[in-house]
């Protein structure tokens, strides 16, 4: 696949998330996709966990918008600079009682695309900003 084709896979995934088409995620994510992001609440880093992670996130955070502000591709990797916004209206493992508050943060995602599907996701986002905007408590660090 070309770099542009890899970007198109990522564009499709971002559009499916933006449009809340959970059933379409399999069109863009490999069944055994490995997500290293933990999507805030620490789901297991096991193949395929991203599907449930995205579903839970979209259930808790409505009025979401995923906007790709920049896509850069090289080899089998695509880097996406996103603007993600939404409202906390449903239960979330990090904050079970919805606050009703809005958030708007920048995120950087790195996707590995193999065979026309995303096989690996790494991401960083402004979690401190998101937690502050939503009124969530910052998690206590784990003690060794």
């Amino acid at each position: 696949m070309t770099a542009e084709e890899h970007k198109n896979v990522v564009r499709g995934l971002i559009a499916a998330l933006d449009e809340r088409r959970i059933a379409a995620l399999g069109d863009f994510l490999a069944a055994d996709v490995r997500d290293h992001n933990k999507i805030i609440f620490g789901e297991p880093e096991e193949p395929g966990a991203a599907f449930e992670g995205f579903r839970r996130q979209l259930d808790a955070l409505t009025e979401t918008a995923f906007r790709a502000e920049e896509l850069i591709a090289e080899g089998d990797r695509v880097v996406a600079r996103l603007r993600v916004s939404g409202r906390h209206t449903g239960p979330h493992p990090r904050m079970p009682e919805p606050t009703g508050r809005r958030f708007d943060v920048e995120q950087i995602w790195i996707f590995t695309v193999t065979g026309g599907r995303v096989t690996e996701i790494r991401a960083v986002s402004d979690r401190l900003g998101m937690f502050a905007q939503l009124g969530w408590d910052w998690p206590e660090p784990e003690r060794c």
Side-chain angles (χ1 to χ4, degrees):
M1 291 182 71
T2 67
E4 194 59 33
E5 290 170 323
H6 288 154
K7 287 197 283 190
N8 285 336
V9 170
V10 170
R11 282 185 187 105
L13 173 61
I14 293 167
L17 291 170
D18 185 60
E19 297 162 8
R20 306 177 73 77
R21 292 183 289 120
I22 297 295
L25 293 182
D27 294 342
F28 309 102
L29 298 174
D32 61 349
V33 61
R34 179 137 344 239
D35 181 4
H36 301 283
N37 188 33
K38 306 290 188 263
I39 311 191
I40 297 179
F41 54 83
E43 71 270 12
E45 189 177 310
E46 59 188 32
F51 288 92
E52 178 66 6
F54 283 128
R55 186 197 63 74
R56 291 177 76 183
Q57 200 72 345
L58 290 173
D59 283 350
L61 304 171
T62 59
E63 301 173 34
T64 51
F66 292 80
R67 295 178 307 278
E69 295 187 341
E70 190 171 3
L71 292 177
I72 302 166
E74 182 176 331
D76 64 352
R77 301 282 167 84
V78 177
V79 177
R81 184 172 60 84
L82 302 175
R83 197 81 198 178
V84 180
S85 60
R87 182 182 303 275
H88 180 210
T89 58
H92 189 281
R94 188 67 78 201
M95 180 63 70
E97 288 299 318
T99 63
R101 292 171 66 172
R102 297 194 56 74
F103 70 96
D104 186 340
V105 295
E106 186 172 63
Q107 301 179 349
I108 307 289
W109 295 19
I110 303 170
F111 300 96
T112 302
V113 180
T114 307
R117 300 278 191 282
V118 171
T119 56
E120 185 174 35
I121 304 168
R122 293 189 181 276
V124 292
S125 72
D126 179 10
R127 289 189 182 168
L128 181 58
M130 182 177 177
F131 280 38
Q133 291 172 53
L134 292 174
W136 293 2
D137 293 328
W138 190 251
E140 290 292 320
E142 292 184 25
R143 306 229 189 270
C144 295

